[in-house]
Amino acid sequence: MTGEQIIFLITAGFTLGSGLMVVTARNLVHAALWLVSTLFGVAVTYALLNANFIAVVQVTVYIGAIAILFIFAVMLTRRDLRDSGPQTNKNWWAGALLAVLTFAGLASLLQGWSGFSKTGAAFPSDFDAIAALGEALVSPDAYVLPFEVASVLLMAALVGAVYLAFNRK
Amino acid sequence: MVPLSWYLIFSAALFSIGLFGVLTRRNAIAILLGVELMLNAVNINLVAFWRYGDVTSMAGQVFAVIVFAVAAAEVAVGLALVISVYRRRNTVIADELDMMKW
């Protein structure tokens, strides 16, 4: 077993454990903080996959913006944190069964796929992944249209969020 | 080098955990937390397929960036809806939100 595999196993165990805490923690602030550690584990996974830019975006956008937004929302609706009842609904066993079945289905589906245990090729020499990503995002031959649609979507979402949360009085 | 299968199994497990959270949590914000876990699992798959496929084609990373944008939009609108509902009904428990029930 190589060092990279050991790092991957530690990261995966940490991430999955934090993910389990996100869905089971009783206190929602704790769940949001466990989400931060899950997202950090996923960022380490991206770094292991040589996707440095995606790893940095994960830390700044997900941990820096989205997780903070969650913590704010939890604190703004704080009255419900004191509710002493169960945090899961009555059909939690059905949800757990469905989640386990989804995992088993995905695993068995992947087992039958020929590329399942593929190992990656080395990077071509003098290949700059970040420059290639930047070119792909703005090049008319590549993905400029999805990129622009994503920016319009973000704009629309921000206007919609301001409208929804605006307090008319 | 870590085989591709490890990443795929890891991502499938993270997706299932997120699915469990979405299906069973009572609090609307906790449901959104589960959705975030599922989106992250999808992103791991996209980046892993980029790394183990043709690295010079950036499609996997480009789609991961777009998933980031969609996740940010979803969280902004979702949390605004939750806060707006909380102001009117004083609850964020998903079972009690029945305004659209006729």
Side-chain angles (χ1 to χ4, degrees), chain A residues 130-166:
Chain A
I130 296 179
L133 176 65
E135 270 168 32
L137 278 175
V138 293
S139 149
D141 315 329
Y143 302 101
V144 68
L145 188 63
F147 183 66
E148 293 300 330
V149 171
S151 43
V152 172
L153 175 75
L154 262 183
M155 191 68 215
L158 287 184
V159 173
V162 170
Y163 175 74
L164 280 173
F166 191 69

Side-chain angles (χ1 to χ4, degrees), chain B residues 23-88:
Chain B
L23 289 176
T24 61
R25 284 290 212 159
R26 293 177 73 220
N27 192 310
I29 297 175
I31 293 175
L32 284 174
L33 290 175
V35 173
E36 290 308 306
L37 292 183
M38 290 164 86
L39 285 171
N40 267 281
V42 169
N43 256 351
I44 291 174
N45 263 0
L46 286 172
V47 177
F49 281 128
W50 164 76
R51 181 68 189 85
Y52 288 82
D54 178 13
V55 256
T56 52
S57 141
M58 301 303 291
Q61 285 209 33
V62 170
F63 282 114
V65 169
I66 289 171
V67 170
F68 277 124
V70 172
E74 172 249 319
V75 169
V77 174
L79 292 180
L81 273 172
V82 168
I83 288 173
S84 173
V85 163
Y86 180 71
R87 283 217 192 102
R88 282 156 194 253

Side-chain angles (χ1 to χ4, degrees), chain A residues 72-96:
Chain A
F72 262 105
V74 170
M75 287 178 170
L76 284 173
T77 56
R78 203 173 161 78
R79 222 169 292 171
D80 279 302
L81 289 183
R82 290 196 296 261
D83 106 6
S84 52
Q87 292 293 307
T88 55
N89 56 27
K90 288 190 296 291
N91 294 326
W92 68 268
W93 54 272

Side-chain angles (χ1 to χ4, degrees), chain A residues 2 4-5 8-9 12 15-16 19-20 22-25 28 31 35 38-39 42 45-46 48-51 54 57-58 62 66 69-70 73-74 76-77 79-80 83 86-89 92 95-96 98-99 102-103 106-107 110 113 115-121 123-124 127 129 132-133 136-137 143 146 150 153-154 157 161 164-167, chain B residues 1-27 29-30 32-34 36-37 39-40 43-44 47-53 55-59 61-77 79-84 86-88 90-93 95:
Chain A
T2 63
E4 203 182 341
Q5 291 178 332
F8 173 83
L9 288 180
T15 310
L16 291 179
L20 272 178
V22 171
V23 294
T24 53
L28 258 190
L35 181 78
T38 313
L39 296 175
V42 175
T45 313
Y46 294 150
L48 277 176
L49 282 165
N50 303 96
I54 301 288
V57 170
Q58 171 86 7
Y62 254 114
I66 294 181
L69 209 57
F70 267 114
V74 170
L76 284 173
T77 56
R79 222 169 292 171
D80 279 302
D83 106 6
Q87 292 293 307
T88 55
N89 56 27
W92 68 268
L98 204 59
T102 306
F103 178 70
L106 282 172
L110 289 167
W113 178 51
F116 185 50
S117 50
K118 206 167 166 179
T119 48
F123 265 89
F127 174 66
L133 176 65
L137 278 175
Y143 302 101
L153 175 75
L154 262 183
L164 280 173
F166 191 69
N167 204 359
Chain B
M1 190 80 189
V2 185
L4 175 59
S5 52
W6 292 20
Y7 285 105
L8 297 184
I9 290 295
F10 168 45
S11 140
L14 194 60
F15 187 87
S16 306
I17 291 173
L19 184 68
F20 173 73
V22 170
L23 289 176
T24 61
R25 284 290 212 159
R26 293 177 73 220
N27 192 310
I29 297 175
L32 284 174
L33 290 175
E36 290 308 306
L37 292 183
L39 285 171
N40 267 281
N43 256 351
I44 291 174
V47 177
F49 281 128
W50 164 76
R51 181 68 189 85
Y52 288 82
V55 256
T56 52
S57 141
M58 301 303 291
Q61 285 209 33
V62 170
F63 282 114
V65 169
I66 289 171
V67 170
F68 277 124
V70 172
E74 172 249 319
V75 169
V77 174
L79 292 180
L81 273 172
V82 168
I83 288 173
S84 173
Y86 180 71
R87 283 217 192 102
R88 282 156 194 253
N90 235 344
T91 178
V92 288
I93 305 298
D95 296 343

